[in-house]
Every structure is written in structure tokens, then in C-alpha cells.
Amino acid sequence: MSDRKISVIAPARLHMGFIDLSGSLGRHFGSIGVALNEIATRLSISKATQLQVNGPSSDRAIKCTRVLCEALNVSDQIQIDIDTAIPEHVGLGSGTQMSLAIGSALNSFYNLELSTRQIAKLTARGMRSGIGIGVFEQGGLVVDGGRGEQTVTPPVISHMDIPEQWRFILVFDQRGQGLHGDQEINAFKALPTFPHQEAARLCYLLLMQGLPAVAEQNINLFGDVITQIQQSVGEHFASVQGGVFTSPEVAEVMQWIEQQGTVAIGQTSWGPTGFCAVDSADKADALVLEMQQRYSHFEHLSFVSASARNSGGDVFSS
């Protein structure tokens, strides 16, 4: 057993929508997302006489560690110190990033030489979206190719850096949680068939407008594509999540903030977190301040400005 201390940073991600929920061509889902800098799971692993976990999301970390140690046939005589954890079930990929963070730490601690994809498979990650895996591998903007008949984890088919000056504003509703676990599985089963023509339209929009807009640093065109994807997918999910947005208060804020010139209006995953984009940190900071004042009566809402992380998760020893 190593006497080293292994530390990992696993970035949160915005899930900006699915591309084909019908799977009419044999591949289901396909999705687009962006890694974030300011929100992450940060933890370290060191030697101990028995399994000890300290810090936020410790219950989830204990379960994940036991599953991984058994699957990898390694000792769980370790101490895990969690400095920060991505908030659970708010649409930022907390479960995937915790699994990849612990798995990557164990991988380095025991010199197992596993890939991120192998770790993800052990923890049953990437069953629908591959965005969380992709941003841990590479950061930036990631598009995955969905699931085919023989897919283990959805492949990344496009990866691009997000312009450094762009900012994403997140609107949190601390009262609610997005659908997860069995609720999420049952929700997908209850959804109607996604129209083939709409899936084709979203694919065309993303390939011939959204991705070129990122390459040319055109935030307005990129934002328009994301808003259209979000509106289409949100309307499809509305019957199982209570509307295009899970939280009515978040929906109200997002309607106002769109009128202020923000773009890429949407909800990440099942929410309740809403997001939008602007082209500078100054604009983002000013809007966050104005929202804090304008919506101070919504005591359960909070607002954060975040930058894109154009690199993947970090694993280092000391």
C-alpha cells in the first residue's frame, strides 16, 4: 500500500441537452455539455487502518468507495478527505464526478493503470449521457455520440475549448432536487417518443451552427442553438418534471435574465439549476448582483458566475 497522498479535482458540468431521445437511427441520447471551473469535487486519499471519510457528501463517497474497492480487489483501509463536493442532484453531475474522483484516486494510489472509461464502467456511469466522463477526461465543451447496441460508455465525438472570457450564470433553487435514481429511470419510460424530424433538426443546428460558433467565438449564435435545444428538450420533459423548468422561481428568473441580453438559456439536466451565458466576467458579475437584489424575496435562490474549464480532472500526489 502506498504511503503517498493522492488528490483529485473533478469539475462540475452543465448538461445542455440531449440530441436524439428517439434513437431512430439506432443510437439513443447524444448530449452536449461544458465543464466548469468554480464548482468541483476536491478530495484526497491516504493510508489508514480502516475506511474513514470526512467532509461533504460522505455517505455517497463511502458507498462509492466500497463498490470500487470490491470491484478492484483492493483494500479499503484508506482515509478520504473531501474538501468540496459538487451539490447533489441539482444537475451538475455530482454522482459521476464523485465516482471518477474516488476511482481515479484509487487508481493512482494502487498503481492500477486504469483508464477513466474503465473506472466509469465499474461505477455504472455513462448509462445515458457521456458528458460527465468527457469533461473529466478533457474539460471544455463536449459532445457525446449517445448509446448504440454495443456502447460501453458514450464516445466523445467533439471536444472544443470555450473562449476564456465567456461566463455562465447559474441559478440555484436550494429547496428542490432534480429527478435521479429510480425516479429518473421511470421518467424516461414515461416520456412520449421524440420526433425523428426534431432530432434531425437539433443535430443539424449543433453541427452546422453551434459548434462553428464556438470555433469563431460567436456567443450569440452558440447561445441561440443551446436555447433552441433546451426549449425542445424541456418541452419534451415537461410532462414529467412539471414544465420546461423544474422550479417555477428559476423559470421566472430565467425569463427576466433573457430579456437582459443573456444567451444559452436553459436548465442543466433535470435541474432545478438554470443557466445562461454572457460574453464577459464584468457582465456576469453585474447581472448576479442585480439578480441578488431583484429576487431577494426568493430566499431559496442563489446566483453564481462560473467560467468554463478547458482542462479535465486533475490527479496529483504528494
Side-chain angles (χ1 to χ4, degrees), residues 2 4 6 103-112 315-317:
S2 172
R4 296 174 301 155
I6 305 298
S104 297
L106 291 170
N107 182 45
S108 181
F109 192 73
Y110 289 110
N111 297 310
L112 301 176
V315 182
F316 48 95
S317 64

Side-chain angles (χ1 to χ4, degrees), residues 82-147:
I82 304 171
D83 296 323
T84 62
I86 299 166
E88 295 185 18
H89 308 309
V90 299
L92 296 180
S94 60
T96 295
Q97 299 309 313
M98 180 65 78
S99 296
L100 295 179
I102 293 174
S104 297
L106 291 170
N107 182 45
S108 181
F109 192 73
Y110 289 110
N111 297 310
L112 301 176
E113 299 184 357
L114 298 173
S115 69
T116 297
R117 299 271 160 174
Q118 289 172 313
I119 295 168
K121 180 183 177 182
L122 290 172
T123 54
R125 294 295 162 179
M127 298 306 293
R128 282 172 291 275
S129 171
I131 296 303
I133 301 169
V135 300
F136 188 88
E137 289 176 319
Q138 304 179 76
L141 180 143
V142 172
V143 180
D144 77 69
R147 297 195 65 87

Side-chain angles (χ1 to χ4, degrees), residues 43-275:
L43 57 81
S44 60
I45 285 184
S46 55
K47 185 177 180 180
T49 56
Q50 61 182 10
L51 177 60
Q52 302 175 40
V53 179
N54 306 308
S57 297
S58 57
D59 289 344
R60 166 178 272 179
I62 289 171
K63 292 177 183 178
C64 179
T65 302
R66 287 175 174 158
V67 167
L68 281 165
C69 286
E70 182 176 353
L72 296 170
N73 194 28
V74 296
S75 171
D76 66 356
Q77 292 180 323
I78 53 174
Q79 177 172 314
I80 301 178
D81 293 303
I82 304 171
D83 296 323
T84 62
I86 299 166
E88 295 185 18
H89 308 309
V90 299
L92 296 180
S94 60
T96 295
Q97 299 309 313
M98 180 65 78
S99 296
L100 295 179
I102 293 174
S104 297
L106 291 170
N107 182 45
S108 181
F109 192 73
Y110 289 110
N111 297 310
L112 301 176
E113 299 184 357
L114 298 173
S115 69
T116 297
R117 299 271 160 174
Q118 289 172 313
I119 295 168
K121 180 183 177 182
L122 290 172
T123 54
R125 294 295 162 179
M127 298 306 293
R128 282 172 291 275
S129 171
I131 296 303
I133 301 169
V135 300
F136 188 88
E137 289 176 319
Q138 304 179 76
L141 180 143
V142 172
V143 180
D144 77 69
R147 297 195 65 87
E149 290 183 5
Q150 298 181 7
T151 300
V152 178
T153 54
V156 170
I157 57 174
S158 180
H159 166 258
M160 305 177 74
D161 284 352
I162 291 287
E164 291 185 6
Q165 69 272 22
W166 291 9
R167 291 296 183 273
F168 297 93
I169 298 172
L170 279 61
V171 181
F172 293 97
D173 186 337
Q174 298 169 1
R175 295 170 302 173
Q177 293 186 339
L179 297 178
H180 58 278
D182 290 339
Q183 289 179 317
E184 182 181 17
I185 293 171
N186 292 333
F188 272 110
K189 290 179 180 178
L191 290 172
T193 301
F194 195 73
H196 171 74
Q197 288 184 328
E198 182 63 3
R201 185 181 77 90
L202 297 184
C203 289
Y204 183 74
L205 275 175
L206 181 60
L207 179 62
M208 294 306 293
Q209 287 192 337
L211 298 184
V214 175
E216 296 177 348
Q217 301 195 19
N218 185 334
I219 193 172
N220 291 323
L221 183 54
F222 170 74
D224 181 60
V225 170
I226 296 303
T227 299
Q228 288 190 58
I229 292 173
Q230 280 285 315
Q231 188 67 30
S232 178
V233 175
E235 289 175 355
H236 187 71
F237 284 150
S239 61
V240 295
Q241 68 178 15
V244 173
F245 289 89
T246 300
S247 164
E249 288 82 1
V250 170
E252 180 178 334
V253 173
M254 299 310 296
Q255 182 178 19
W256 175 83
I257 201 171
E258 185 175 15
Q259 296 170 356
Q260 312 312 305
T262 65
V263 297
I265 307 297
Q267 170 182 285
T268 176
S269 190
W270 291 106
T273 307
F275 69 85

